[in-house]
Amino acid sequence: MIVWKEALYVAGIPPRKQKRIIRAIKRRRLVRGVYLITAPSNRKNCLEYMKANQILQPYYRKREIKVYGLAGSEEAAQELAASMVCGAYAATGSFAVIDYLERRRQDKAGDTA
């Protein structure tokens, strides 16, 4: 199951194509050259990135995948993940990136209410 986070980071994908790509991934269609920034499967890591087509494998159908970012190339995925880690470190002074992203999302939801 794929869980798309509200505050999705995007790099290297034009805004008009983002919704189409997300819809295709939700429908388990092949997409070319798209990478997902996800929560790590190992808590010792900060983030992981993978090709979007990788989640079509049977292993990932049974797992919950939390997607925090979307990138149009491997290089864009690396740069986006690095900027997410640097932003979390600058804000908190630690490398607990997922905790920071979850807290940030909750704070934004609280601000709009």
Side-chain angles (χ1 to χ4, degrees), residues 3 5-6 14 38 41 45 50 57 64 67 69 75-76 84 90 105-106:
V3 178
K5 296 303 177 174
E6 291 177 22
T38 64
S41 57
N45 297 337
M50 67 175 80
Q57 299 297 319
E64 181 179 87
V67 179
E75 184 178 327
M84 292 167 71
R105 186 176 66 86
Q106 290 172 353

Side-chain angles (χ1 to χ4, degrees), residues 25-75:
I25 292 171
K26 283 181 180 178
R27 293 178 180 169
R28 300 207 176 269
R29 304 275 195 256
L30 291 174
V31 291
R32 187 179 304 178
V34 176
Y35 286 78
L36 304 175
I37 312 292
T38 64
S41 57
N42 178 354
R43 288 296 291 176
K44 292 182 180 180
N45 297 337
C46 294
L47 292 170
E48 289 182 358
Y49 71 92
M50 67 175 80
K51 287 185 177 182
N53 293 336
Q54 187 174 341
I55 63 170
L56 299 175
Q57 299 297 319
Y59 172 82
Y60 292 102
R61 290 186 183 179
K62 298 175 184 176
R63 306 274 187 262
E64 181 179 87
I65 302 168
K66 295 180 182 179
V67 179
Y68 293 94
L70 190 64
S73 68
E74 185 173 7
E75 184 178 327

Side-chain angles (χ1 to χ4, degrees), residues 70-109:
L70 190 64
S73 68
E74 185 173 7
E75 184 178 327
Q78 291 171 351
E79 291 176 4
L80 183 59
S83 69
M84 292 167 71
V85 170
C86 289
Y89 184 76
T92 64
S94 74
F95 289 105
V97 179
I98 299 302
D99 295 338
Y100 167 73
L101 294 174
E102 289 293 331
R103 199 170 340 112
R104 181 175 168 256
R105 186 176 66 86
Q106 290 172 353
D107 291 344
K108 282 191 173 186

